[in-house]
Amino acid sequence: MVYLTRKAEFAASHYYNNPKFSAEENQRIFGKCNNPHGHGHNYTLEVTVKGKVNPQTGFVVDLKDLKETMNREVLDAMDHRFLNKEVPEFFDRIPTTENLAIVIWQRLEPKLKAAQLHRVRVYETPDLFADFYGEA
Amino acid sequence: MVYLTRKAEFAASHYYNNPKFSAEENQRIFGKCNNPHGHGHNYTLEVTVKGKVNPQTGFVVDLKDLKETMNREVLDAMDHRFLNKEVPEFFDRIPTTENLAIVIWQRLEPKLKAAQLHRVRVYETPDLFADFYGEA
Amino acid sequence: MVYLTRKAEFAASHYYNNPKFSAEENQRIFGKCNNPHGHGHNYTLEVTVKGKVNPQTGFVVDLKDLKETMNREVLDAMDHRFLNKEVPEFFDRIPTTENLAIVIWQRLEPKLKAAQLHRVRVYETPDLFADFYGEA
Amino acid sequence: MVYLTRKAEFAASHYYNNPKFSAEENQRIFGKCNNPHGHGHNYTLEVTVKGKVNPQTGFVVDLKDLKETMNREVLDAMDHRFLNKEVPEFFDRIPTTENLAIVIWQRLEPKLKAAQLHRVRVYETPDLFADFYGEA
Amino acid sequence: MVYLTRKAEFAASHYYNNPKFSAEENQRIFGKCNNPHGHGHNYTLEVTVKGKVNPQTGFVVDLKDLKETMNREVLDAMDHRFLNKEVPEFFDRIPTTENLAIVIWQRLEPKLKAAQLHRVRVYETPDLFADFYGEA
Amino acid sequence: MVYLTRKAEFAASHYYNNPKFSAEENQRIFGKCNNPHGHGHNYTLEVTVKGKVNPQTGFVVDLKDLKETMNREVLDAMDHRFLNKEVPEFFDRIPTTENLAIVIWQRLEPKLKAAQLHRVRVYETPDLFADFYGEA
């Protein structure tokens, strides 16, 4: 059983706002992140899959397939996008690092064949990241 | 003569568009960066000053002063902002990495006392950066 | 269940010495780290908390609270300090990377509300780090 | 119980080829990695051991011993080598990142005293790494 | 006048040998790098161009063009290659970091339009790099 | 003419104090760095030499020689040391990043043969560094 991790980067913008909160509450809770114009990040995504090593190839997973799946399911939808306005999952969910990790898991998990998704890690900045393992 | 460099980070969003170009030209020239919703980056700013080392302090520049100037002139204006809409210099100038380096130079240069501004470097991503030395 | 990690840096000095060992043993076991004047590091601290994502905020933990707790319980006490002489836990315990991870856990764990402490990671250099999960 | 991780780097070359596959299959499956002249990487190895902290030293493991074992069992054999031709385990096994993690585990695990091997992580590039925990 | 730098990575193998030296001399001068099987690196290439900022685009250089030129002239030839055997300039020149910087300059300089090549930097490892500015 | 740079790390402690200043002035000017117990950093040193490439070896400088000179003149004296108390140049000079760059230049410059010293860069943290080119 080996765990293989591939990183990718995407540049996106977002802001934090809960329409059920008053303007004052949104400002107090979200601070600078509440600016409705949005601001952005170079996100780093780490996708970890686990599985047996195929003795014919030495691979847990075909990296070309993994890359293609990550591009199609995640990067094409999120890179150079305003997450709140252009990614449907965030039309009514706040695009925090935590929620990004969950949404990316939900997009990737059903599409990965061959290997099993183990962890999605999302870095918002080099100093802040969230991990999701599919645990309820 | 010693050159001292301090780094800082800011998160901002931007997009590229020239109103004199047609929609097709803007799309062809700027590609994904033309998305009007904006997208974002964790920018890294490196400010280099040069000067003699003060023998009383061992400093070329008081770092607290340099930090304060960088915060007041640059970070307070650009961090967690949509550059095109919230930073006046970009109301009619495209916020490329090149132009960011020039604008940040113009903001910092008149405010630095004690030491002389030598270089402004702006990283848009770890793989792309622009340097400006104040040369015409 | 999402795991959120925040990094912070602190600069401190330390040395390794066990008063029960002879000078020769201390030198043999601890090598250059036995120098009583101390030497130092830019430590990187990673604090990981786990919890459910609050659907109102998208947060596992309020980052302002986490930052404040890390500053108050750890950084104010350790940053720009000589660990052996200025941090009480190290008056009679050797400030190795391992012990730093344990001491930081013990300082943070009782103070974190809302979310549960999952892991404390301490890097002494980019090439050496210790992880503590609170396991006996 | 503390987990201690030490990193090391080595520069090696390799290529991917399965003699049971046709030339076309090797090319299709392995792409540019199938070039028989080889190509290379700066590999980063992370070795994690776990154990109780020795109260006399503050160490889970004597770092000099760990370093020596890593050098003798892994780096002396793999650094500045063509893995396929100079490391026996890869005479008939494809030197993928996955297999490197397994082979390094097998070399280190029997030689570590004092502490227990917990994980071997191998980075082929900063964007791709494999973890092995000794799990069948 | 702004200086714009773009990074790219390539994985290659090489070895150092001067056929005019005896085997003993080659071993003494080049050490582990003399191994004829080759060993490899993840090279990082930084290409810096300088020019005026085009007021219509905010660009010193069209990044798509720069990327294409770097791919066609350098990466297609060197990535996943054994430099001594597959890159003609190194058939009779030792592929040191210094010579790589010169060869890459010579490949890029005649092909860059719009902007002027200012510097080629090549990292062999994160701790060793060579810069060439086209100076005789 | 090629510029070759080699990095090295050292761990040291220091503090800032000018005996001609009052305690209040030292505290006001140097802040946390005035703590007489000292605090420490993982310093990164970059030494750049320039010269013609030797056509026999492809080298600007023999890296083994450069490494040996850096170890003997700088790292043996500064690594795992309290700079103020154990490095003579800092007995009466404040060990700021600026002064470290100058002192390291003065130690290396007379000892480098073959190639010419071009720049000494010292990082105190990843976000602060000083460059010295030997300019009066």
Side-chain angles (χ1 to χ4, degrees):
Chain A
M1 188 67 70
V2 173
Y3 299 74
L4 191 85
T5 302
R6 191 179 168 273
K7 294 192 198 185
E9 284 79 33
F10 62 97
S13 60
H14 69 167
Y15 79 114
Y16 294 171
N17 189 67
N18 185 337
K20 297 179 196 151
F21 294 162
S22 68
E24 290 71 26
E25 281 174 311
N26 274 304
Q27 183 55 40
R28 181 177 51 77
I29 293 169
F30 297 122
K32 290 188 297 185
C33 297
N34 186 231
N35 176 0
H37 294 298
H39 66 279
H41 299 286
N42 300 319
Y43 288 96
T44 298
L45 168 63
E46 285 188 13
V47 173
T48 303
V49 297
K50 69 175 179 183
K52 297 272 181 202
V53 176
N54 178 331
Q56 302 298 311
T57 60
F59 292 157
V60 161
V61 65
D62 183 312
L63 275 175
K64 288 192 301 293
D65 285 355
L66 178 57
K67 188 177 177 177
E68 243 174 62
T69 307
M70 288 168 63
N71 285 347
R72 195 181 55 236
E73 304 299 329
V74 182
L75 302 185
D76 290 353
M78 298 193 186
D79 187 35
H80 282 67
R81 298 291 178 188
F82 192 155
L83 300 176
N84 304 61
K85 298 190 183 171
E86 301 185 270
V87 176
E89 290 94 328
F90 297 118
F91 292 171
D92 59 0
R93 201 176 348 186
I94 301 175
T96 56
T97 320
E98 291 92 325
N99 277 335
L100 264 166
I102 293 172
V103 164
I104 292 172
W105 175 284
Q106 289 167 341
R107 284 175 167 249
L108 288 174
E109 201 280 334
K111 305 294 180 178
L112 288 170
K113 296 156 279 186
Q116 187 185 342
L117 187 58
H118 173 67
R119 188 184 74 186
V120 168
R121 173 173 288 186
V122 177
Y123 285 84
E124 186 183 278
T125 70
D127 290 341
L128 185 71
F129 59 89
D131 292 314
F132 187 58
Y133 294 84
E135 295 174 273
Chain B
M1 187 68 71
V2 173
Y3 299 73
L4 191 86
T5 302
R6 190 179 167 271
K7 293 193 198 183
E9 285 78 34
F10 62 97
S13 60
H14 68 167
Y15 79 115
Y16 295 172
N17 189 69
N18 184 337
K20 297 180 195 151
F21 294 163
S22 68
E24 290 71 27
E25 282 174 310
N26 273 305
Q27 182 54 42
R28 182 178 50 76
I29 294 168
F30 298 122
K32 290 189 296 187
C33 297
N34 187 230
N35 176 359
H37 293 300
H39 66 278
H41 299 288
N42 301 319
Y43 288 96
T44 298
L45 169 62
E46 285 188 12
V47 173
T48 304
V49 296
K50 71 174 177 183
K52 299 272 181 200
V53 175
N54 179 331
Q56 302 298 311
T57 60
F59 293 157
V60 161
V61 66
D62 182 311
L63 276 174
K64 286 192 302 292
D65 284 355
L66 178 58
K67 188 177 177 178
E68 240 174 65
T69 307
M70 289 169 64
N71 284 348
R72 194 181 54 236
E73 304 299 329
V74 182
L75 302 186
D76 290 353
M78 299 192 184
D79 187 36
H80 282 67
R81 299 290 178 188
F82 192 154
L83 300 175
N84 304 62
K85 298 189 182 171
E86 301 185 89
V87 177
E89 290 94 330
F90 297 119
F91 292 172
D92 59 359
R93 200 176 347 187
I94 301 175
T96 57
T97 319
E98 292 93 324
N99 277 336
L100 263 167
I102 294 173
V103 164
I104 291 172
W105 175 284
Q106 290 167 339
R107 284 175 168 248
L108 287 175
E109 202 278 334
K111 304 295 181 180
L112 287 171
K113 294 157 279 184
Q116 188 184 341
L117 187 57
H118 173 66
R119 188 183 75 186
V120 167
R121 173 172 288 185
V122 177
Y123 285 85
E124 187 183 279
T125 70
D127 289 342
L128 184 71
F129 60 88
D131 292 316
F132 186 58
Y133 295 83
E135 294 175 273
Chain C
M1 187 68 71
V2 174
Y3 299 73
L4 191 86
T5 301
R6 192 179 168 271
K7 294 194 198 182
E9 284 78 33
F10 61 96
S13 59
H14 69 168
Y15 79 114
Y16 295 171
N17 189 68
N18 184 337
K20 296 179 196 151
F21 293 163
S22 68
E24 290 70 26
E25 281 174 310
N26 273 305
Q27 182 54 40
R28 181 178 51 75
I29 294 169
F30 297 122
K32 289 189 297 186
C33 296
N34 186 232
N35 176 359
H37 293 299
H39 65 279
H41 299 287
N42 301 319
Y43 288 96
T44 298
L45 168 63
E46 285 187 12
V47 173
T48 303
V49 296
K50 70 174 176 182
K52 298 272 180 199
V53 176
N54 179 331
Q56 301 298 313
T57 61
F59 293 157
V60 160
V61 65
D62 183 313
L63 275 174
K64 288 190 301 292
D65 284 355
L66 179 58
K67 187 176 178 179
E68 241 174 65
T69 307
M70 287 168 65
N71 285 348
R72 195 181 54 236
E73 304 300 329
V74 182
L75 302 186
D76 290 353
M78 298 193 186
D79 187 37
H80 282 67
R81 299 291 178 187
F82 192 155
L83 300 175
N84 305 62
K85 297 189 184 172
E86 301 184 87
V87 177
E89 290 94 330
F90 297 118
F91 291 172
D92 58 1
R93 200 173 352 183
I94 300 176
T96 57
T97 320
E98 291 93 323
N99 277 336
L100 263 166
I102 294 173
V103 163
I104 291 171
W105 175 284
Q106 290 167 339
R107 283 175 167 249
L108 287 175
E109 201 280 333
K111 305 292 180 177
L112 288 171
K113 296 156 278 185
Q116 188 184 342
L117 187 58
H118 174 66
R119 187 182 77 186
V120 167
R121 173 173 288 186
V122 178
Y123 285 84
E124 186 183 279
T125 71
D127 289 343
L128 185 71
F129 59 88
D131 291 315
F132 186 58
Y133 295 83
E135 295 174 274
Chain D
M1 189 69 70
V2 173
Y3 298 74
L4 191 86
T5 301
R6 191 181 167 270
K7 295 193 196 182
E9 284 79 34
F10 62 97
S13 60
H14 69 168
Y15 79 114
Y16 294 171
N17 188 68
N18 183 337
K20 296 179 197 151
F21 294 162
S22 69
E24 290 72 25
E25 281 174 311
N26 273 305
Q27 182 55 39
R28 182 177 51 78
I29 293 168
F30 298 122
K32 290 188 297 185
C33 297
N34 186 233
N35 176 359
H37 294 300
H39 66 278
H41 299 286
N42 302 319
Y43 289 97
T44 298
L45 169 62
E46 284 186 13
V47 173
T48 303
V49 296
K50 70 174 177 182
K52 297 272 180 199
V53 176
N54 179 331
Q56 301 299 310
T57 61
F59 292 158
V60 160
V61 64
D62 183 313
L63 275 175
K64 289 191 302 292
D65 285 355
L66 178 58
K67 187 176 178 180
E68 240 175 64
T69 306
M70 289 168 63
N71 285 348
R72 194 181 56 237
E73 303 300 328
V74 183
L75 302 186
D76 290 352
M78 299 193 185
D79 187 36
H80 282 68
R81 300 289 179 189
F82 193 156
L83 299 175
N84 305 61
K85 298 190 183 171
E86 302 184 88
V87 176
E89 289 94 329
F90 297 118
F91 291 171
D92 58 1
R93 197 172 356 181
I94 302 176
T96 57
T97 319
E98 291 93 324
N99 277 335
L100 263 166
I102 294 172
V103 163
I104 291 172
W105 175 284
Q106 290 167 339
R107 284 175 168 248
L108 287 175
E109 201 279 335
K111 304 294 179 176
L112 287 171
K113 294 156 281 185
Q116 188 184 342
L117 187 57
H118 173 68
R119 189 183 75 185
V120 167
R121 173 173 287 185
V122 177
Y123 285 84
E124 187 184 278
T125 70
D127 290 342
L128 185 71
F129 59 89
D131 292 313
F132 187 58
Y133 294 84
E135 295 174 273
Chain E
M1 188 66 72
V2 173
Y3 298 74
L4 191 86
T5 301
R6 194 181 165 269
K7 295 193 197 183
E9 285 77 35
F10 62 98
S13 60
H14 69 168
Y15 78 114
Y16 294 172
N17 188 67
N18 183 336
K20 297 179 195 152
F21 294 162
S22 68
E24 290 71 24
E25 281 174 311
N26 273 305
Q27 183 54 42
R28 180 177 52 76
I29 294 169
F30 297 121
K32 290 188 297 185
C33 296
N34 187 231
N35 176 359
H37 293 299
H39 66 278
H41 300 286
N42 300 320
Y43 288 97
T44 298
L45 169 62
E46 284 187 13
V47 173
T48 304
V49 297
K50 70 175 176 182
K52 297 271 181 201
V53 176
N54 180 332
Q56 301 299 311
T57 60
F59 292 159
V60 160
V61 66
D62 183 312
L63 275 175
K64 289 191 301 292
D65 285 356
L66 178 58
K67 187 177 178 179
E68 240 175 65
T69 308
M70 288 168 64
N71 285 347
R72 194 182 55 237
E73 304 299 329
V74 182
L75 301 186
D76 289 354
M78 299 192 184
D79 187 36
H80 282 68
R81 299 292 179 186
F82 192 155
L83 300 175
N84 304 63
K85 298 190 182 169
E86 301 183 270
V87 177
E89 291 94 328
F90 297 118
F91 291 172
D92 59 0
R93 200 178 346 187
I94 300 175
T96 56
T97 319
E98 291 93 323
N99 278 335
L100 263 167
I102 294 172
V103 164
I104 291 172
W105 176 283
Q106 290 167 340
R107 285 175 167 248
L108 287 175
E109 200 280 335
K111 305 294 181 179
L112 287 171
K113 295 157 282 184
Q116 188 184 339
L117 188 57
H118 173 67
R119 188 183 76 186
V120 167
R121 173 173 288 185
V122 178
Y123 286 85
E124 187 183 278
T125 69
D127 289 343
L128 185 71
F129 60 89
D131 292 314
F132 187 57
Y133 294 84
E135 296 174 273
Chain F
M1 187 69 70
V2 173
Y3 299 74
L4 190 86
T5 301
R6 191 179 167 272
K7 293 193 198 184
E9 284 79 34
F10 61 97
S13 60
H14 69 167
Y15 79 115
Y16 294 172
N17 189 68
N18 184 337
K20 296 179 195 150
F21 293 162
S22 67
E24 289 71 26
E25 281 175 310
N26 274 305
Q27 183 55 39
R28 181 178 51 77
I29 295 169
F30 298 122
K32 289 189 297 184
C33 297
N34 186 230
N35 176 0
H37 293 299
H39 65 279
H41 299 286
N42 301 318
Y43 288 96
T44 298
L45 168 63
E46 286 188 11
V47 173
T48 304
V49 297
K50 70 174 177 182
K52 298 272 180 201
V53 175
N54 179 332
Q56 302 298 313
T57 60
F59 293 156
V60 161
V61 64
D62 183 312
L63 275 175
K64 289 192 301 294
D65 285 356
L66 178 57
K67 188 177 178 178
E68 239 174 67
T69 307
M70 287 168 65
N71 285 348
R72 195 181 55 235
E73 304 298 329
V74 181
L75 301 186
D76 290 353
M78 298 191 186
D79 187 36
H80 282 68
R81 298 292 178 186
F82 192 154
L83 300 176
N84 304 62
K85 298 191 183 170
E86 301 185 89
V87 176
E89 290 94 330
F90 296 118
F91 291 172
D92 59 0
R93 201 175 348 184
I94 300 175
T96 57
T97 320
E98 292 93 322
N99 277 336
L100 263 167
I102 294 173
V103 164
I104 291 171
W105 175 284
Q106 290 167 340
R107 284 176 167 247
L108 286 175
E109 201 281 333
K111 305 293 181 179
L112 287 171
K113 295 156 278 184
Q116 188 183 341
L117 187 58
H118 173 66
R119 188 184 75 186
V120 168
R121 173 173 287 186
V122 177
Y123 285 84
E124 187 183 278
T125 69
D127 289 343
L128 185 71
F129 60 88
D131 291 316
F132 187 58
Y133 294 84
E135 294 174 275

